[in-house]
Amino acid sequence: MTTHPHAARKGRDFIARHGETVYNIAQRMQGDHPHTPLTRKGFAQADAMGAALRELLGAKPKLTLWASSAGRALQTLAIIAEHLELDWHSARRDDRLVEIGMGEWSGRYYHELTGADADFLDVEARLYRRPAPGGEWYDAIAARVGAWASDTDNDPGDRLVIMHGMSSRVLRGVLTGADVMPQFDAPVAPDLPQGSIALIEGGHEAIAHLGSGGPSMAAPA
């Protein structure tokens, strides 16, 4: 019995979080920043994701490729696609898959959060407690990734979606029909390290590959 709309999708969704970036190392807020390049560790994480998917799916699998339009997601996708012997240029890009918008705080260092802003991070949930000035909140992310999911539910077969720490958690919550978390106004799945891949099939989630990266806090990606 279908419990929510997206559980009826035919095929599996591999939801991947991109590799570590230079902003992660510098402890800066990336948000929807268009291009923050991967570090050497980030490339290694992408390699590990590609190897894991190659072992699971084989070479040249029938896989629809999707990615956030951010450079770090596309860099990660290019490396994974090489392992799978797929052309990453054929991937569909969608701005609705980008990371949380940070508004006036885009590029700001986390150590600058002092005074009234010192409690901005919810370390236990690994999420923000409130929107950044001029930034986005989780209900807005749920609306945009939910719209993407509805528009693409008829994608044939399996697909790989490369995106970000917070936005992928909301998408995973949407695809699994998770309850809305009142303090965040959106369904939010548990945090996974950078370089991880969640597998969602029939509205149920499993971990296809656990990455070697750190948690989202203090540098969500």
Side-chain angles (χ1 to χ4, degrees):
M1 180 176 178
T2 298
T3 56
H4 60 90
H6 304 296
R9 201 188 88 75
K10 305 298 183 184
R12 297 174 293 179
D13 287 320
F14 295 90
I15 312 297
R17 182 180 175 191
H18 68 74
E20 179 188 82
T21 73
V22 295
Y23 267 41
N24 294 140
I25 287 296
Q27 297 288 285
R28 296 178 69 180
M29 301 181 198
Q30 297 182 105
D32 55 351
H33 196 287
H35 183 55
T36 51
L38 301 184
T39 62
R40 290 182 180 274
K41 183 176 181 180
F43 280 109
Q45 291 165 348
D47 262 325
M49 284 190 280
L53 286 173
R54 173 67 177 253
E55 182 175 354
L56 181 63
L57 301 174
K60 298 181 180 179
K62 292 183 178 179
L63 194 65
T64 302
L65 302 177
W66 281 96
S68 156
S69 53
R72 57 196 186 273
L74 296 171
Q75 278 190 303
T76 301
L77 173 61
I79 296 167
I80 293 174
E82 182 177 359
H83 283 270
L84 299 177
E85 298 181 35
L86 298 176
D87 180 10
W88 73 273
H89 292 92
S90 68
R92 305 176 188 181
R93 308 177 190 185
D94 200 305
D95 289 340
R96 292 176 293 184
L97 300 174
V98 300
E99 185 56 301
I100 186 171
M102 293 306 298
E104 297 173 18
W105 285 4
S106 180
R108 186 175 179 181
Y109 289 90
Y110 279 88
H111 68 75
E112 296 175 343
L113 298 176
T114 59
D117 297 327
D119 70 342
F120 181 65
L121 304 178
D122 184 328
V123 177
E124 182 177 355
R126 298 193 172 108
L127 295 167
Y128 299 133
R129 296 183 187 277
R130 55 188 177 275
E136 190 176 30
W137 191 233
Y138 299 105
D139 56 349
I141 299 177
R144 60 176 165 85
V145 300
W148 173 85
S150 295
D151 289 347
T152 63
D153 265 344
N154 291 327
D155 278 355
D158 296 343
R159 60 187 178 184
L160 171 64
V161 186
I162 311 293
M163 46 193 307
H164 307 270
M166 289 189 179
S167 60
S168 68
R169 291 177 65 182
V170 178
L171 177 61
R172 289 162 49 213
V174 168
L175 293 180
T176 57
D179 292 334
V180 170
M181 299 179 71
Q183 69 271 45
F184 303 116
D185 299 319
V188 185
D191 188 44
L192 292 175
Q194 286 172 322
S196 294
I197 306 171
L199 168 58
I200 298 176
E201 183 175 13
H204 300 284
E205 180 176 272
I207 305 303
H209 175 71
L210 191 65
S212 62
S216 290
M217 295 291 118

